[in-house]
Amino acid sequence: MQGAFMVNGLSDTSSRHVRSAHANGADGASGATSLTRRRFGAALLAVAVTATLAAPPARAQSAPPAVVDFDWVDPARSRPVPARLHWPADVAPGSRVPLIVFSHGLGGSRRGYSYLGRYWSARGVASLHVQHAGSDSSLWAGNPLAVVDRLQRAARESEALARALDLRFALDRMLSSPHGAHVDRRRIMAAGHSYGANTALVAVGARVMRDGKWVEARDPRFAAAIVISAPPFYGEPDLASVLSRITVPTLHVTATKDVIQIPGYYSPAADRLEVFNAIATPRKLLAVFEGGSHSIFTDRSFTGGPALNPKVKLATAELTLAFLDLVFDGNGATLARWNVTWQPMLASAPGAAPSPLPVAQSRRVAQGVATGLVPSP
């Protein structure tokens, strides 16, 4: 695990597991306060002290989690917003669960990233996987000679903004549904992979200036973000300015061979690190796996290597819940256990602060040289 996660004001709320509505009610809200630097320092100390301790087992569920598809339409934009909900089993009346709103990559759908949905819901965390019309799996249909044009249209700024508005609309619908009464509204996170990671960043504050006005779609209901394999915001000379308004905690996940290469588009692995470095808040974590591929974080089974693929998926799923524990409970024990378990697969030792890479070094990584993506401590 790389990066810094020192904080002014992480919410001192519950852990990721289901909790009672009373605990999240008026008494709980009035009593919740921001973590001081001393308390968060203690949490980091706990990471070191408890590194060899076993984390408590996940909450057992007597029934399989539910999977529910929604075929929503946003009437204000005349835009379909399909979504798939992975819902935990055994949610007792009056209890509440965390919610992750997930955005797929270019050419994906609500059916994707099911390994994450299954893992989360089996451990008491709901996830809503939103499908983005215009940049979804429909891109691969039709004349193959026109696929480059379709991909370029899907990457337009208007579609990037529309995707973030999809998350807002889907969250509105989710919270107004019968399931919404069981969502802990203080533990809602945006998440995504690739183009979806950019969407999650826009949802938590990324913005660009156009014609003297900011183009943005920040939703203050998102308390944190999980950013998997994020491309840079292309055409923007000042990435730090684009990401300057992001203040919520963020988890960034990538791999040394996380290269994006599709018709008309190329992004080396070091671009993921540039996004991480450009976020000003120190409330961020970075994990870089050795090897892998860009698609290893999708449902595809063999990309990145048939042996490595399932391990990276499991490690990523475990890491996201360790992140929830740290952000919402100030509990670093799960993260400490994750560091010990998965250290052999990481690109460098835990705790090493990543630094910006020169372009030439970035190109070497993209060509398959694993060294140099993250400097050694």
Side-chain angles (χ1 to χ4, degrees), residues 13-229:
T13 58
S14 67
S15 68
R16 66 176 177 265
H17 301 299
V18 179
R19 66 181 306 206
S20 68
H22 174 76
N24 274 314
D27 293 342
S30 62
T33 58
S34 298
L35 284 174
T36 62
R37 287 184 180 274
R38 177 178 295 180
R39 290 194 62 198
F40 192 75
L44 289 181
L45 179 60
V47 171
V49 172
T50 63
T52 60
L53 300 180
R59 179 180 181 272
Q61 305 223 4
S62 61
V67 177
V68 183
D69 285 341
F70 301 105
D71 293 303
W72 292 320
V73 176
D74 183 353
R77 299 182 294 155
S78 299
R79 179 178 170 95
V81 186
R84 171 167 289 187
L85 174 65
H86 293 263
W87 188 255
D90 302 332
V91 178
S95 61
R96 297 178 182 175
V97 301
L99 174 67
I100 299 172
V101 183
F102 195 93
S103 174
H104 63 74
L106 191 66
S109 77
R110 64 184 175 183
R111 298 184 300 276
Y113 309 92
S114 61
Y115 74 97
L116 288 173
R118 290 192 302 269
Y119 187 91
W120 291 332
S121 59
R123 289 156 180 80
V125 177
S127 62
L128 184 67
H129 296 233
V130 179
Q131 183 167 332
H132 304 288
S135 57
D136 59 6
S137 53
S138 64
L139 293 175
W140 311 119
N143 186 346
L145 298 179
V147 67
V148 173
D149 290 337
R150 292 195 294 270
L151 291 172
Q152 290 176 345
R153 287 195 299 269
R156 288 176 180 171
E157 192 169 278
S158 58
E159 175 60 21
L161 181 62
R163 289 169 63 98
L165 296 177
D166 289 343
L167 297 193
R168 178 184 297 177
F169 172 80
L171 181 55
D172 287 343
R173 285 297 181 94
M174 177 66 189
L175 294 180
S176 63
S177 75
H179 291 95
H182 298 285
V183 172
D184 185 342
R185 302 193 180 202
R186 293 184 299 178
R187 293 187 293 165
I188 300 175
M189 302 198 307
H193 170 249
S194 194
Y195 199 1
N198 282 162
T199 303
L201 289 171
V202 172
V204 297
R207 59 181 187 167
V208 296
M209 178 70 73
R210 293 293 181 269
D211 300 323
K213 297 181 180 180
W214 288 108
V215 178
E216 55 190 330
R218 177 180 175 271
D219 190 328
R221 294 173 294 182
F222 291 120
I226 298 170
V227 181
I228 305 174
S229 301

Side-chain angles (χ1 to χ4, degrees), residues 284-331:
K284 57 185 180 179
L285 291 174
L286 172 68
V288 183
F289 293 104
E290 191 73 61
S293 70
H294 187 66
S295 297
I296 201 170
F297 301 106
T298 71
D299 278 343
R300 293 175 60 187
S301 299
F302 298 106
T303 178
L308 181 64
N309 184 292
K311 294 179 182 178
V312 168
K313 284 178 167 58
L314 178 58
T316 300
E318 287 185 0
L319 178 58
T320 59
L321 295 193
F323 176 65
L324 263 69
D325 281 350
L326 183 60
V327 169
F328 295 115
D329 198 35
N331 176 11

